Amino acid sequence: MDYLEIEGGHKLSGEVIISGAKNAALPIIAATILSDKEVILKNLPNVVDIRTLLKLLTMLGAKVEHNDTEAKIDCSTINSTRAVYEIVAQMRASILVLGPLLSRFKHCEVSLPGGCAIGQRPIDLHIKAAEALGAEVTLEQGYVVAKAPNGLHGTKVIFDKITVGGTENAVMAAAMAEGITEIVNAAKEPEVAQLCEMLNMGGAKIEGIGTDRLVVHGTNGKPLEFNEPIEIIPDRIEAGTYLCVGAITNSKITLKKVNIEHIQTSIEKLESMGCDFDIKKDEIMIIPKDELRGVNIITTEYPGFPTDMQAQFMAVATLAKEESLIEERLFENRFMHVSELNRLGADIWLKGNVAAVRPVKELIGAEVMATDLRASSALVIAALAAKGTTKIRRIYHLDRGYDRLEEKLSNLGAKVVRKKS
Ligand code: EPZ
């Protein structure tokens, strides 16, 4: 199995081009099911999760041509509506095919994803939305079986809790439904907004994009049509991760092709720790500080501080000169990186969903294990600042969501090598 060997303590410099956002690309790939013509996607990140979802579409019968950052997807040939366990178990986001399959084909069977490393992650809200739109949903042998023989009908969907994937599934289901669907307490993440904009390009009409109330005018069964290629937005989590790399290694790093508005909370937290920034239109340079102050973070939905940046900030906080407090409010088990960071010499104490990160003078390289995607990137960040060599095992998590990580880090002067054990 591959592992990463990182020799820490080197000052970095240079530029990183930020890739397209995995979490924007995934629902957009799922939404191509709503079309019976070819759709062209550009600026896809070259990561395993994207390939997994494209494989699922191929298994459903779609024709897919994929080349690095571009894909041509033709869903006119879909001849199955069953998303099998083999794929869904590998990647929870496969649940995103539920809404579009149901909307276009009036039935589908999607394997239940089950729990994962960061928490239980139920899909009850996805199911509730499908039912509100008129589907009959049953659970059969581990599969969610959804049927709407008379098609889906516009309705009011009220989410008890804000859910990114649930909102995306509801919007995709409503896009080809008959009539108007109002989605209340919708997620406002930029990835949800891009999905809505894409659906509008294809013929749906969605109002309230970027707000917590979306109004979707469905096409009444007419498949969507995309005449222009869709360019995936920059990955705000990848961008935030490289800012953390700059902060912890005390290095000036410039990020190119970023959306500054989407990374505002990461910028503000790093400013509160003492870092400065030189910001141009879609470019940002971090000007770090020798001594970082502590930081207080509470994860919450967009535009609040993202749970997907919690682990990386915790890594940076380990070397701050003051104590930091980090509270995780979205996922109950998203602290698997704590014990691994402590193996590198950090002093982090956990109580419930709050971590107290106490200052230490240095981190020291060790063998550690990646547990989920963002936890893994936190270990990379810590390893870059640690004295000596760190071996990070189970890096398939990183491969799921970070495009060309070693190449981008090596270009900045980091000593990172992928090895086989
Ligand atoms: C998306 O997951 C992202 N994944 C996650 O990114 C991200 O951490 C998360 O949103 C929160 O921002 C993708 O976009 C592919 P949710 P999602 O539904 O949609 C609860 C990464 O590292 N909930 O917004 O699955 C749920 O348990 C990943 O890139 C229900 O209770 O997250 C959680 O506590 C990991 N019932 C909260 O809502 C449901 O039916 C928010 O989850 C659905 C969710």
Side-chain angles (χ1 to χ4, degrees):
M1 218 182 269
D2 290 4
Y3 66 93
L4 278 190
E5 196 170 274
I6 300 181
E7 191 187 288
H10 296 284
K11 194 124 176 168
L12 313 180
S13 64
E15 295 174 356
V16 188
I17 296 176
I18 298 304
S19 298
K22 162 183 85 78
N23 290 347
L26 290 170
I28 284 176
I29 290 171
T32 62
I33 293 173
L34 293 167
S35 179
D36 60 1
K37 303 220 163 59
E38 185 179 85
V39 188
I40 299 176
L41 306 183
K42 294 196 164 177
N43 200 33
L44 290 169
N46 194 347
V47 297
V48 170
D49 273 10
I50 298 300
R51 296 196 282 277
T52 305
L53 190 57
L54 291 174
K55 183 173 169 201
L56 174 58
L57 290 201
T58 310
M59 287 167 83
L60 298 176
K63 284 191 222 127
V64 175
E65 276 176 47
H66 180 211
N67 176 10
D68 192 14
T69 58
E70 195 171 314
K72 288 182 184 160
I73 306 173
D74 177 358
C75 289
S76 65
T77 49
I78 286 188
N79 52 17
S80 161
T81 55
R82 190 171 173 84
V84 293
Y85 177 71
E86 181 198 336
I87 298 282
V88 184
Q90 277 176 48
M91 188 186 64
R92 295 183 52 85
S94 316
I95 191 72
L96 292 170
V97 299
L98 186 137
L101 281 177
L102 183 60
S103 201
R104 181 159 156 220
F105 298 99
K106 302 190 171 68
H107 61 88
C108 66
E109 309 86 46
V110 180
S111 172
L112 271 173
C116 77
I118 62 174
Q120 284 185 51
R121 304 184 75 188
I123 55 156
D124 56 315
L125 302 173
H126 299 239
I127 293 175
K128 204 177 141 197
E131 285 175 336
L133 282 151
E136 187 192 302
V137 182
T138 50
L139 291 182
E140 293 173 22
Q141 296 173 321
Y143 278 74
V144 177
V145 178
K147 293 178 190 152
N150 301 319
L152 296 176
H153 302 281
T155 185
K156 188 166 184 167
V157 176
I158 304 175
F159 282 117
D160 304 338
K161 194 171 184 177
I162 300 173
T163 158
V164 173
T167 304
E168 290 165 345
N169 247 333
V171 165
M172 290 187 280
M176 270 182 71
E178 184 220 339
I180 299 172
T181 301
E182 184 186 354
I183 302 173
V184 178
N185 205 21
K188 297 183 290 209
E189 270 65 7
E191 296 77 20
V192 178
Q194 192 182 21
L195 172 69
C196 293
E197 276 154 15
M198 177 230 189
L199 296 174
N200 278 355
M201 277 170 72
K205 189 174 158 219
I206 303 174
E207 293 159 347
I209 297 179
T211 75
D212 60 3
R213 182 177 168 273
L214 297 170
V215 178
V216 186
H217 300 252
T219 63
N220 197 8
K222 185 171 177 284
L224 305 190
E225 208 174 315
F226 299 92
N227 299 319
E228 301 288 325
I230 293 140
E231 173 101 13
I232 305 299
I233 57 171
D235 194 318
R236 64 193 167 104
I237 306 301
E238 190 197 23
T241 302
Y242 283 101
L243 292 182
C244 287
V245 167
I248 200 166
T249 60
N250 196 6
S251 307
K252 279 188 186 171
I253 295 176
T254 301
L255 312 188
K256 297 207 153 180
K257 280 180 84 176
V258 280
N259 183 317
I260 302 297
E261 198 189 323
H262 295 170
I263 56 169
Q264 208 52 51
T265 45
S266 290
I267 294 173
E268 279 167 19
K269 288 297 172 191
L270 287 169
E271 273 173 349
S272 76
M273 296 178 89
C275 299
D276 279 327
F277 294 91
D278 185 0
I279 299 176
K280 295 191 183 121
K281 201 169 145 266
D282 59 355
E283 215 178 286
I284 181 168
M285 179 169 75
I286 177 165
I287 304 160
K289 263 271 157 27
D290 289 349
E291 296 216 331
L292 293 171
R293 292 193 289 269
V295 65
N296 288 333
I297 286 173
I298 298 176
T299 66
T300 182
E301 295 86 2
Y302 190 84
F305 187 89
T307 173
D308 290 348
M309 283 303 303
Q310 179 254 105
Q312 299 90 317
F313 267 82
M314 193 180 292
V316 178
T318 59
L319 289 178
K321 298 295 163 205
E322 298 159 348
E323 180 169 307
S324 299
L325 283 179
I326 300 182
E327 184 175 340
E328 172 57 53
R329 292 223 180 137
L330 270 95
F331 294 109
E332 69 275 14
N333 197 25
R334 208 170 195 180
F335 276 136
M336 306 276 279
H337 41 284
V338 168
S339 50
E340 298 304 296
L341 288 172
N342 283 346
R343 284 178 59 75
L344 293 171
D347 183 9
I348 308 170
W349 288 80
L350 255 188
K351 189 154 192 229
N353 65 338
V354 180
V357 187
R358 297 172 181 171
V360 291
K361 282 213 170 64
E362 59 183 9
L363 297 174
I364 297 174
E367 285 205 28
V368 288
M369 202 179 280
T371 47
D372 77 71
L373 174 58
R374 310 304 171 186
S376 316
S377 65
L379 298 179
V380 171
I381 290 167
L384 289 168
K387 214 167 148 185
T389 303
T390 298
K391 282 184 185 172
I392 306 178
R393 302 202 179 271
R394 299 201 182 167
I395 52 164
Y396 48 81
H397 292 292
L398 281 168
D399 295 335
R400 291 185 55 177
Y402 283 94
D403 190 0
R404 286 168 264 244
L405 180 75
E406 302 111 86
E407 187 187 314
K408 291 187 185 188
L409 286 173
S410 301
N411 287 345
L412 293 172
K415 304 279 176 253
V416 182
V417 219
R418 181 179 291 249
K419 292 192 167 173
K420 285 197 189 299
S421 55

